[in-house]
Amino acid sequence: MEKVRVIEIKESIFADNDREAERIRGDLKAEKTYLLNLMSSPGAGKTTTLLRTIEALKDEMRIGVMEADIDSSVDAEKIAVTGVKSIQLHTGGMCHLDAGMTEQGLKEIGTEDLDLVVLENVGNLVCPAEFDTGAVKNAMILSVPEGHDKPLKYPLIFTVCDALIINKIDVLPYFDFDMEKVVEYAHMRNPNLKIFPISAKTGEGVGAWADWLRAQVKGWNEA
Amino acid sequence: MEKVRVIEIKESIFADNDREAERIRGDLKAEKTYLLNLMSSPGAGKTTTLLRTIEALKDEMRIGVMEADIDSSVDAEKIAVTGVKSIQLHTGGMCHLDAGMTEQGLKEIGTEDLDLVVLENVGNLVCPAEFDTGAVKNAMILSVPEGHDKPLKYPLIFTVCDALIINKIDVLPYFDFDMEKVVEYAHMRNPNLKIFPISAKTGEGVGAWADWLRAQVKGWNEA
């Protein structure tokens, strides 16, 4: 098993999270580092999607991953195997990360030699959506077994994200999941949402997602 | 589509949630009503499991269901079709229910003619576990597609529950889900946890779960 560095992050002391998040984005811009905040339910496939994303992009850019969890370091161990820089953040029971907590992670991982850092947020469709982490963009994963009605029940996360990955399309035949409906409901919440149906297991569809992320990182770091 | 009553519940004003929860349990005991708090990730199958549970128990006891969601009333509409008393609670963005919010629901549904009330909590493995709702017992659902590592990542919810339903066993062949490991990890968090593997879709395993719940309700209401 890979040894990973585990950082216990503390709840942020900043009263004004949005201002703190803007400051972090300013620092990242100056350092030419793109931070992506990746959110989803527990078990939607954030880590497996990240492994595929790393595979697609690691020869073109220097990637770092911050795995946030309440407990365990199983995710950071899986990422460490790929050779990219990774750390495990423990939130001490907290259900989300705010800007101050994210910054603690960024300092620990060290962004000066990284083009892209992905923050894998705590598995939760509610609370993480309420806090600007300082990321350049937010992305979320909805997996086929969760059902196509999720944009109706968890509206906020669909409105704050720029990209929606629909994962586990390899099991579409075994679930009553209506792809047309989920696209309709998601665009009802956010007409500009980019939607990428993928299977992180088989690799199907990952190319289009990686293309979007590549263009994002280039646009931010070269502008 | 069934018409359902939607109640906007407000964040509780009680400083001492635990004392409030104890008071609610006292009232329920006096009224011979058993309250079950059912928790899970988004899309684990709470509503479908409830439909099966109602089917198994509705001829033996009077059942009510409180569906809690941030938005939409799709779940309460599904429950209403069964003919049991049901209401939809909207949490106004809140990620969980506390005792005071639960009591608002109980007052709206009216417990005097009900033997069993099920509170379907907001889909979230983190925050709902932190609040005693006043329920007699807590149960949770983990679904096969979420993966067997969840007790490692979300420890608290496994410790506060008395019953763990493992749903969607009909799709076990299509996922890398290790049933022995999930039982081991869950019992590591809570050695007394009763575990019920089921498929709410096919009905497999629902009998054992319904037997447990029936015994619970009888024990509480007749004691």
Side-chain angles (χ1 to χ4, degrees):
Chain A
M1 198 176 284
E2 296 290 319
K3 269 237 171 163
V4 296
R5 203 147 52 96
V6 177
I7 320 294
E8 309 288 334
I9 51 175
K10 303 266 184 316
E11 196 173 347
S12 172
I13 51 160
F14 300 107
D16 189 342
N17 186 71
D18 287 350
R19 197 166 57 182
E20 198 53 28
E22 280 302 333
R23 198 186 50 68
I24 293 172
R25 263 189 294 278
D27 291 351
L28 290 167
K29 186 77 186 164
E31 266 186 4
K32 297 180 184 294
T33 303
Y34 184 98
L35 175 63
L36 179 77
N37 175 27
L38 184 61
M39 300 180 281
S40 83
S41 289
K46 288 186 291 304
T47 309
T48 315
T49 300
L50 262 180
L51 290 172
R52 286 285 181 185
T53 308
I54 290 166
E55 190 179 280
L57 297 176
K58 75 172 177 178
D59 294 338
E60 305 167 45
M61 55 182 80
R62 298 162 302 171
I63 304 174
V65 174
M66 306 193 292
E67 291 287 340
D69 274 299
I70 289 169
D71 205 349
S72 101
S73 54
V74 292
D75 289 344
E77 284 156 14
K78 285 182 198 157
I79 298 292
V81 175
T82 66
V84 307
K85 215 168 166 184
S86 71
I87 58 174
Q88 178 76 49
L89 309 179
H90 280 174
T91 66
M94 288 288 287
C95 52
H96 66 272
L97 270 81
D98 61 16
M101 296 165 85
T102 305
E103 192 172 33
Q104 293 168 52
L106 290 169
K107 279 191 180 146
E108 291 290 341
I109 199 167
T111 52
E112 60 289 347
D113 59 349
L114 295 174
D115 304 308
L116 166 66
V117 175
V118 182
L119 167 63
E120 188 183 315
N121 216 310
V122 179
N124 183 330
L125 287 189
V126 188
C127 318
E130 293 169 12
F131 293 86
D132 188 339
T133 58
V136 181
K137 290 284 168 72
N138 295 320
M140 68 173 288
I141 304 176
L142 175 70
S143 62
V144 164
E146 292 172 68
H148 55 256
D149 61 353
K150 293 300 160 290
L152 301 178
K153 293 181 176 177
Y154 303 90
L156 184 63
I157 195 163
F158 290 86
T159 67
V160 301
C161 281
D162 293 276
L164 165 63
I165 294 170
I166 300 178
N167 190 23
K168 308 192 188 180
I169 56 169
D170 54 295
V171 294
L172 271 169
Y174 314 113
F175 290 91
D176 305 319
F177 185 91
D178 190 324
M179 189 64 81
E180 275 180 39
K181 272 202 182 132
V182 80
V183 169
E184 178 195 330
Y185 295 158
H187 280 153
M188 200 168 82
R189 296 300 183 193
N190 179 356
N192 299 317
L193 197 60
K194 298 267 180 282
I195 301 182
F196 302 99
I198 73 160
S199 165
K201 195 174 183 178
T202 68
E204 190 184 345
V206 172
W209 154 248
D211 288 346
W212 179 84
L213 186 55
R214 180 188 297 109
Q216 282 285 320
V217 174
K218 282 197 179 169
W220 177 258
N221 294 356
E222 289 171 10
Chain B
M1 200 175 283
E2 297 289 320
K3 268 236 172 166
V4 296
R5 202 148 51 96
V6 177
I7 321 294
E8 309 288 334
I9 52 175
K10 302 265 183 317
E11 194 171 350
S12 172
I13 51 160
F14 300 107
D16 189 342
N17 186 72
D18 288 351
R19 195 164 60 183
E20 198 53 28
E22 280 302 333
R23 198 185 52 65
I24 293 173
R25 263 188 296 277
D27 291 351
L28 290 167
K29 186 78 187 162
E31 267 187 3
K32 296 181 184 295
T33 304
Y34 183 98
L35 175 62
L36 180 77
N37 175 27
L38 184 61
M39 299 180 281
S40 83
S41 289
K46 289 187 291 304
T47 308
T48 315
T49 300
L50 264 180
L51 290 173
R52 286 284 182 185
T53 308
I54 290 166
E55 189 180 280
L57 297 176
K58 75 173 177 179
D59 294 338
E60 306 166 44
M61 57 183 79
R62 299 163 301 171
I63 304 173
V65 174
M66 306 195 290
E67 292 287 340
D69 274 299
I70 290 170
D71 205 349
S72 101
S73 54
V74 291
D75 290 344
E77 283 157 13
K78 285 182 197 159
I79 298 291
V81 175
T82 66
V84 308
K85 215 168 165 184
S86 70
I87 58 173
Q88 178 77 48
L89 309 179
H90 280 175
T91 66
M94 288 288 287
C95 52
H96 66 273
L97 271 80
D98 61 17
M101 295 165 86
T102 305
E103 191 170 34
Q104 294 169 50
L106 290 169
K107 280 193 177 143
E108 291 289 342
I109 198 166
T111 52
E112 60 289 348
D113 59 351
L114 295 175
D115 304 306
L116 165 65
V117 175
V118 182
L119 167 64
E120 187 182 316
N121 215 310
V122 179
N124 182 332
L125 288 189
V126 189
C127 319
E130 293 169 13
F131 293 86
D132 188 341
T133 58
V136 181
K137 290 284 167 72
N138 295 320
M140 69 173 287
I141 304 177
L142 176 70
S143 62
V144 165
E146 292 171 70
H148 55 255
D149 61 353
K150 293 300 160 288
L152 302 179
K153 293 181 177 177
Y154 303 90
L156 185 64
I157 195 163
F158 290 86
T159 68
V160 302
C161 282
D162 293 276
L164 165 63
I165 294 169
I166 299 178
N167 189 24
K168 308 192 188 178
I169 58 169
D170 55 293
V171 294
L172 271 170
Y174 314 113
F175 290 91
D176 305 319
F177 185 90
D178 189 324
M179 190 62 84
E180 276 181 37
K181 273 204 180 129
V182 80
V183 170
E184 178 197 329
Y185 294 158
H187 280 153
M188 199 169 82
R189 296 301 183 194
N190 179 357
N192 300 317
L193 196 60
K194 298 266 180 281
I195 302 181
F196 302 99
I198 74 161
S199 165
K201 194 173 184 180
T202 67
E204 190 183 347
V206 172
W209 154 248
D211 288 346
W212 178 84
L213 186 56
R214 180 189 297 108
Q216 283 285 319
V217 175
K218 282 196 178 169
W220 176 258
N221 294 356
E222 289 169 11

